[in-house]
Amino acid sequence: MRRTVKTAIRRSILCACAVLLCLLVGGAVYAQHRHKRTVPSAPKIKKDILTLRYKPQAGTLLYNIKTEIDQSIASGAKDYRGAFHTDAQLAFHNRTIDYKHGIWTFDEYFTKFDLSNKALLGDSVGFREGLAVDRVTELTYNMQGDELAKLIVDTMKLLNTEAQTNAYFLQPPRMLIPLPEHAVTYGDIWKDHHVDTISVRDTVNLGITTGAYIYDVSWNYHLASLLDTNNHYYAIIVATDSGRFSGFQTNSETKVTTHASGPIVGNDTTVLDLFSGSVMKRSIDLAIPAKVNVASDPPFIDRLAVHSIVTLDESNATILKNN
């Protein structure tokens, strides 16, 4: 009888252990299966769907800028042509970077600015476009390329009329174009619009010439292509520029007032490095065929064609070529 009881107890203990072992093994298998289902797999990069963002870097970025401006005036009796070229280097020196809120502040200024082949029409007094654009501008942007604040640290010096108006085409280009908040694919379009007013005050020549020029420009951006170079990706962003130019000048001595207006047409291309988040290159082509009215004289057409190429020279530069 005692043997029978002991045998039954052993069997009960063995069964309980077997059941417990099954529960433990089954629970582990279930937990492992459940763990596999809840952990997401590594995302696959779709090369035709991109999220475009800037990634500010510490230090200074240097850009080389080459600009060509051609001018032609058709007055009926005689046609005039002129042109000049500039070779400049632009610095972007980061001041503060706030990664948490996605904003950063940097200084923008020329380290060198050289003029050559100067032959535009205008006053006989020396042109000083370099002084008009030689200033430090403090800018604050977010990662989408939206300008949040702009402060010109240096004040512009008083120059003749042509130097002030020409400086609009020679000032640092907006390297950080706006980027869409959502992911984009080829052909997606996003837009931007700016109205720039250039006030003119010339005390160098006869009397005082005052006036203003308004550049009302819209941009239609789209992702044109993706460039793959040794597994290094560049987004090619192309824009179509369109708008309207209008302006006037009045001289206090001659009492002559000129009015000018015309369309603004052009295009530009931005090459964005998707890894570093930096602009590698920008090319800009702009044309303004303006109709000019001067008092009782017959109107004439003043055409300007601007071509500019901006390329990255050095990232995180520690030594500037010309300070």
Side-chain angles (χ1 to χ4, degrees):
M1 181 68 179
R2 289 181 179 177
R3 291 180 179 177
T4 304
V5 173
K6 290 181 179 179
T7 302
I9 292 174
R10 283 198 197 99
R11 289 178 180 175
S12 298
I13 294 174
L14 291 175
C15 290
C17 291
V19 172
L20 180 60
L21 180 61
C22 291
L23 290 175
L24 291 175
V25 172
V29 172
Y30 174 76
Q32 183 178 9
H33 178 68
R34 183 181 179 185
H35 178 70
K36 287 183 179 180
R37 291 196 325 181
T38 56
V39 174
S41 58
K44 296 181 179 180
I45 298 176
K46 297 182 178 180
K47 297 181 181 179
D48 56 345
I49 300 179
L50 301 177
T51 299
L52 305 175
R53 290 293 181 269
Y54 296 112
K55 301 174 185 177
Q57 304 174 21
T60 302
L61 274 69
L62 296 180
Y63 288 91
N64 294 324
I65 302 178
K66 293 184 180 297
T67 302
E68 300 177 0
I69 299 180
D70 295 314
Q71 181 186 30
S72 62
I73 294 180
S75 61
K78 186 177 181 181
D79 293 343
Y80 302 89
R81 296 188 66 86
F84 74 95
H85 304 158
T86 65
D87 186 3
Q89 186 175 70
L90 186 67
F92 287 84
H93 179 70
N94 283 301
R95 296 166 60 94
T96 59
I97 303 175
D98 187 345
Y99 291 104
K100 181 178 180 181
H101 299 92
I103 59 176
W104 83 97
T105 301
F106 55 89
D107 289 336
E108 174 189 73
Y109 54 92
F110 285 112
T111 63
K112 73 171 184 176
F113 189 90
D114 299 326
L115 281 169
S116 62
N117 194 32
K118 186 60 182 290
L120 285 188
L121 302 175
D123 298 336
S124 59
V125 179
F127 296 87
R128 305 300 297 275
E129 282 88 350
L131 293 178
V133 298
D134 188 12
R135 62 196 185 202
V136 177
T137 303
E138 182 181 308
L139 295 166
T140 300
Y141 276 77
N142 62 17
M143 302 303 179
Q144 288 78 38
D146 298 320
E147 184 180 290
L148 306 180
K150 180 177 182 179
L151 174 64
I152 298 177
V153 179
D154 297 338
T155 57
M156 184 184 298
K157 304 169 181 65
L158 291 178
L159 306 168
N160 66 320
T161 304
E162 280 69 24
Q164 294 178 37
T165 54
N166 292 339
Y168 174 77
F169 305 103
L170 305 176
Q171 62 185 338
R174 186 180 183 186
M175 294 299 298
L176 303 179
I177 65 173
L179 300 176
E181 296 183 0
H182 54 81
V184 294
T185 187
Y186 306 121
D188 284 355
I189 296 176
W190 63 99
K191 301 182 178 181
D192 191 25
H193 174 251
H194 283 282
V195 178
D196 293 321
T197 301
I198 309 301
S199 298
V200 175
R201 180 177 175 81
D202 180 2
T203 60
V204 177
N205 295 283
L206 177 66
I208 298 176
T209 300
T210 57
Y213 290 95
I214 300 174
Y215 299 86
D216 189 339
V217 187
S218 296
W219 294 267
N220 286 339
Y221 296 97
H222 72 276
L223 178 63
S225 62
L226 182 65
L227 180 62
D228 181 2
T229 305
N230 297 325
N231 292 325
H232 209 71
Y233 295 105
Y234 302 93
I236 311 300
I237 303 170
V238 177
T240 301
D241 309 349
S242 62
R244 190 74 183 171
F245 162 77
S246 61
F248 73 94
Q249 286 186 8
T250 301
N251 186 269
S252 61
E253 291 292 330
T254 63
K255 308 300 182 183
V256 175
T257 300
T258 63
H259 294 273
S261 63
I264 299 175
V265 293
N267 59 79
D268 62 76
T269 301
T270 299
V271 180
L272 177 65
D273 188 332
L274 297 179
F275 178 75
S276 67
S278 301
V279 175
M280 302 301 294
K281 183 178 180 179
R282 281 210 71 191
S283 61
I284 302 170
D285 288 282
L286 195 65
I288 304 177
K291 181 179 180 181
V292 183
N293 294 281
V294 184
S296 59
D297 294 339
F300 61 90
I301 302 298
D302 186 353
R303 291 183 175 89
L304 284 180
V306 182
H307 175 66
S308 180
I309 296 181
V310 186
T311 55
L312 181 64
D313 180 274
E314 185 179 358
S315 297
N316 296 325
T318 57
I319 300 177
L320 302 183
K321 293 182 179 179
N322 289 317
N323 193 357

